[in-house]
Amino acid sequence: MDKQGKRRDYESVYLRRTYRDGAKVRNQTLANLSMLPEEAINAIEATLKGQSLVTAGTGFAITRSLPHGHVAAVAAMARSLGLPALLGPACRSRDLVFALIISRVIRPASKLSTLSRWPDITLGADLGVADASTDEVYTAMDWLGDRQDAIEKKLAAKHLGPGANSGRLALFDLTSSWVTGRCCELAARGYSRDGKKGLPQIEYGILTDPAGCPVAVRVVAGNTADPTAFTEIVARVHDTFGIDTLVLVGDRGMITSARIAALRELNETGTDFGWITALRAPQIAKLAVDDGPLQMSLFDVQDLAEIAHPDFPAERLIACRNPALAAERARKRHDLLAATEKDLARIAGRVQAGTLAGADKIGEAYGKVVGKYKVGKHFQRAITNTTFTFSRNQAAIDAEARLDGIYVLRTSVPAADLTPADVVEGYKNLANVERDFRIIKIDDLDLRPIHHRLEQRVRAHVLICLLACYLVWHLRKAWAPLTFTDEAPPQRDNPVARAKRSTTAAAKAARKHDIDGNPLRSFRGLLDHLATLTRNHIRYHGTNTEIPMLANPTPDQRRAFDLIGAAIPLTIAA
């Protein structure tokens, strides 16, 4: 023990000779090696054991070291999902497309940047694409575009067929991404969901199974209305995929009354397409009039109730009230009203001071304020050339507040097939599509902006991102124990209530380690860690032969491959 009470261990190393003296065995200490570095002691020990030592670096040389682990892991998952066969028959174009999909997962970039990186990772050498030209890549994209229907038909059969999707539910939603340049054939100015005002864009809708696994994508011009995109995907499901029985889930702007009428007409030809969507605010207000079926007493005992109305024949209406959503809407409305009043008071002050005059100019200033905060319907105003007064429309505010947190779902599915709670769960599953959009646009695949000009290249680019999303969706699920992903989200007793993460996920987020103390990473961080597993090319001196050899994997790298059910391969192949 030292003076602080801590234990101190001492180790001595001696070089000794053993010899026989008559019938006795004696030991002789030749030297005390305790002061030598550990490396020197190990070298003396190895020499005494008969090993031949060489100077470091003189026996062999590592001629090149390429990142390999992330490529091998993504390729292994792709093979387990049957992606190469899904793409089409083996050929140069398939190898290039396969490489583009893997590259989009491990490091999203433009096609030119991706090509320049292939020689620097094992993907280029193993798939034989290290020397690929830009023209070859564009030819491969055209090849992929020609096979889109066949690829999506197989995915639809796998994930939307009766065996895999007993509830017959399919989710569809639309988003947009901006386009660079002025010559893209699909680019148009429309409502930008990315907030990129003034830039041309494209729109694309994704069809998924209830869990959000992507199945198909459709790209349309940037000024296409949501219902038009929905009509096109319905036609694809029926005509291309050969599916006649499905329940389509979409938001209130997607599955409108006109689209429902079109589905009814289609069903008269022998199909069985159902729907789950939501009512718009004016429709909900009509149901909530004094003698209407939507009354607040419905929510005295529970947060959802089934109602009916003649305006929706052969449909079920599921009314829901979310208290948390009601409180949030009330708070937001209060803040917007206060901000609007503050700006309108400035206008009134300018008018009173004489620095703002004329009904047209006062009206223009008023319009800018209410256009900014979007609560003009809650204010009354009087404007003349020299005066401006305003006040809150309390009756309108109270009428809107009565419906805070209330939404109404409409569906054609009978109660024997889906309970009211199942209908709510089905509609809330649209959040899974939003997660896919985040994967494609923000978190992992960086689809935007679009650099392509020709329509078929834009469609092929989006399809590559969809197939990459298909890989990421399965990888995130498999690698949940190594990341912050919630491995087992708790089932909600009340489907109207907000989703909550499990206590295990909350603990992982707080500790940044799993229960065994192993560090957790983001999905992108795990891919970067796998990239440190390199494949080294070793050449022994005096020979012309190079031997590939993998670096020793870390425990997390081994576990990543174990979780996807694959051994760590020396090479990958399509």
Side-chain angles (χ1 to χ4, degrees), residues 175-336:
T175 190
S176 62
S177 292
W178 74 90
V179 177
T180 59
R182 303 188 303 272
C183 302
C184 178
E185 297 173 350
L186 283 173
R189 297 187 185 277
Y191 172 68
S192 174
R193 294 164 176 81
D194 296 330
K196 290 288 185 178
K197 296 181 179 180
L199 291 178
Q201 65 180 22
I202 63 164
E203 294 186 350
Y204 48 98
I206 294 181
L207 182 72
T208 79
D209 72 0
C213 181
V215 170
V217 65
R218 280 296 169 268
V219 182
V220 294
N223 57 357
T224 305
D226 289 9
T228 303
F230 177 75
T231 301
E232 182 174 339
I233 200 66
V234 170
R236 289 288 181 179
V237 168
H238 177 251
D239 301 335
T240 305
F241 303 159
I243 297 178
D244 295 330
T245 303
L246 204 63
V247 178
L248 294 160
V249 184
D251 62 28
R252 66 198 73 193
M254 186 75 62
I255 306 180
T256 62
S257 296
R259 303 285 76 74
I260 289 175
L263 284 176
R264 285 189 170 126
E265 291 181 5
L266 184 62
N267 287 341
E268 292 176 359
T269 66
T271 62
D272 184 15
F273 283 117
W275 58 86
I276 297 177
T277 186
L279 297 185
R280 294 179 180 271
Q283 295 171 312
I284 296 176
K286 185 177 180 180
L287 296 175
V289 295
D290 293 339
D291 58 346
L294 182 58
Q295 301 299 319
M296 297 304 105
S297 59
L298 291 172
F299 308 111
D300 289 344
V301 178
Q302 55 185 357
D303 292 333
L304 66 98
E306 186 167 337
I307 60 177
H309 194 273
D311 288 351
F312 306 96
E315 289 187 84
R316 301 162 58 204
L317 301 179
I318 314 299
C320 308
R321 185 178 187 276
N322 186 332
L325 179 61
E328 176 61 19
R329 286 183 175 175
R331 181 199 64 78
K332 186 178 293 186
R333 182 173 51 252
H334 175 272
D335 293 345
L336 291 174

Side-chain angles (χ1 to χ4, degrees), residues 461-503:
H461 170 72
V462 176
L463 179 57
I464 287 171
C465 291
L466 178 87
L467 295 172
C469 180
Y470 185 75
L471 277 179
V472 171
W473 190 91
H474 286 88
L475 283 169
R476 281 182 172 273
K477 187 176 180 180
W479 285 343
L482 295 175
T483 65
F484 295 99
T485 302
D486 196 344
E487 300 174 48
Q491 293 292 328
R492 285 176 290 192
D493 297 331
N494 180 5
V496 180
R498 285 182 176 178
K500 296 181 179 180
R501 62 181 177 178
S502 66
T503 55

Side-chain angles (χ1 to χ4, degrees), residues 43-70:
I44 294 173
E45 183 180 7
T47 301
L48 294 176
K49 289 180 179 180
Q51 299 178 9
S52 299
L53 304 182
V54 296
T55 306
T58 61
F60 64 89
I62 298 177
T63 59
R64 195 163 190 204
S65 181
L66 297 177
H68 175 69
H70 56 340

Side-chain angles (χ1 to χ4, degrees), residues 159-170 210 245-249 276 413 417-418 422 426:
H159 296 285
L160 300 182
N165 186 17
S166 58
R168 302 186 308 150
L169 291 179
T245 303
L246 204 63
V247 178
L248 294 160
V249 184
I276 297 177
V413 184
D417 295 333
L418 286 180
D422 292 335

Side-chain angles (χ1 to χ4, degrees), residues 12-89:
S12 299
V13 180
Y14 298 97
L15 177 61
R16 288 183 172 179
R17 179 176 71 91
T18 301
Y19 63 97
R20 184 175 291 278
D21 183 9
K24 294 184 179 180
V25 177
R26 301 185 183 277
N27 296 314
Q28 179 184 10
T29 300
L30 302 178
N32 186 347
L33 307 180
S34 303
M35 301 302 294
L36 292 178
E38 182 178 357
E39 294 81 1
I41 295 174
N42 292 335
I44 294 173
E45 183 180 7
T47 301
L48 294 176
K49 289 180 179 180
Q51 299 178 9
S52 299
L53 304 182
V54 296
T55 306
T58 61
F60 64 89
I62 298 177
T63 59
R64 195 163 190 204
S65 181
L66 297 177
H68 175 69
H70 56 340
V71 173
V74 176
M77 175 57 78
R79 286 196 299 273
S80 70
L81 296 173
L83 185 59
L86 179 70
L87 294 176

